[in-house]
Amino acid sequence: MPDPLATLLTNIRGCRICIEQPRGLPLPHRPRPVVQTSPTARILIAGQAPGTRVHASGTPFTDASGDRLRDWMGIDEELFYDKTKIAIVPMGFCFPGLDAKGGDLPPRKECAPAWRLPLMERLPGVSLILAVGQYAQSWHIEPALRRKSLTETVGNWREIYAAAKPRIIPLPHPSWRNSGWIKRHPWFETDLLPFLRTEISSTLS
């Protein structure tokens, strides 16, 4: 009998919706969906969308953002890329392209409506979600727990963690462009990150 998750992942990796049925302008390059998961994954990293380096490598977070995220989590690359333990499922599976200023465009609007719910239904082992960035937080965190800005939502992490099922910890994007944000909000490193590392260790133990 076919494995439902394996079949779904095959369909995701062959997805061409943003070329054949785009919502707005089509994807400006060949699609290359990037996702990592398995039925036994305990932690889900819900990111934004692949960047240029990840688009080239085909592996999630093979860039400076990945280095920072692994540091936040307190784990090494071997554990980070162990799909039996950690799922990495961005809101948009493909690199969306660059805006006029050279920054990444938002995740494609086609991805989440087509794939996210059926994929989440096939990840019964996930007990902790890291909602990285506002797009993941908007999808995974119920409106009553979200706030008007990413800063306020991340600042509300204790209430979100206590109320959400499965457990959710909201995070800013680990881009080095957010270094200023981290300096302006010292509680992120003094309070949230130690808690995050403890939860990662506990969930995977």
Side-chain angles (χ1 to χ4, degrees), residues 134-197:
Q134 62 179 340
Y135 297 101
Q137 291 162 15
S138 293
W139 201 92
H140 284 279
I141 301 173
E142 62 181 83
L145 295 171
R146 294 199 309 268
R147 297 295 180 259
K148 294 181 180 180
S149 68
L150 178 141
T151 297
E152 292 174 304
T153 298
V154 176
N156 193 42
W157 63 270
R158 291 183 179 86
E159 183 179 349
I160 292 169
Y161 174 86
K165 302 295 180 187
R167 296 165 295 153
I168 298 175
I169 298 178
L171 299 171
H173 194 279
S175 167
W176 292 97
R177 295 184 180 185
N178 282 336
S179 295
W181 184 94
I182 293 171
K183 290 181 179 179
R184 292 192 301 273
H185 303 93
W187 51 263
F188 177 74
E189 292 187 309
T190 59
D191 298 342
L192 196 159
L193 288 188
F195 182 85
L196 171 66
R197 290 166 184 152

Side-chain angles (χ1 to χ4, degrees), residues 27-28 45 52 92 103 106 116 119 121 126 128 143 145 155 165 176-177 183 188-189 202:
L27 191 72
I45 299 172
T52 52
R116 199 154 197 90
L119 186 51
E121 290 174 344
V126 168
L128 176 64
L145 295 171
K165 302 295 180 187
W176 292 97
R177 295 184 180 185
K183 290 181 179 179
F188 177 74
E189 292 187 309
S202 175

Side-chain angles (χ1 to χ4, degrees), residues 17-29 96 108 110:
I17 295 175
C18 54
I19 294 289
E20 298 170 357
Q21 297 175 306
R23 294 175 60 180
L25 295 174
L27 191 72
H29 49 261
R108 295 288 306 192
E110 302 91 348

Side-chain angles (χ1 to χ4, degrees), residues 9 12-13 32-37 58 60 88-90 93 119:
L9 289 174
I12 287 172
R13 291 182 175 118
R32 190 179 192 184
V34 177
V35 59
Q36 167 184 303
T37 191
I88 304 175
V89 183
F93 293 118
L119 186 51

Side-chain angles (χ1 to χ4, degrees), residues 6 10 28 67 69 77 83-84 90 93 111 113 124 138 145 167 181 186:
T10 297
D67 294 337
L69 180 58
E77 284 194 20
K83 68 179 183 179
T84 67
F93 293 118
C111 261
S138 293
L145 295 171
R167 296 165 295 153
W181 184 94

Side-chain angles (χ1 to χ4, degrees), residues 65-81:
S65 294
D67 294 337
R68 174 174 262 181
L69 180 58
R70 287 184 283 275
D71 178 65
W72 285 357
M73 296 171 68
I75 62 175
D76 60 18
E77 284 194 20
E78 182 178 2
L79 180 53
F80 186 81
Y81 290 115

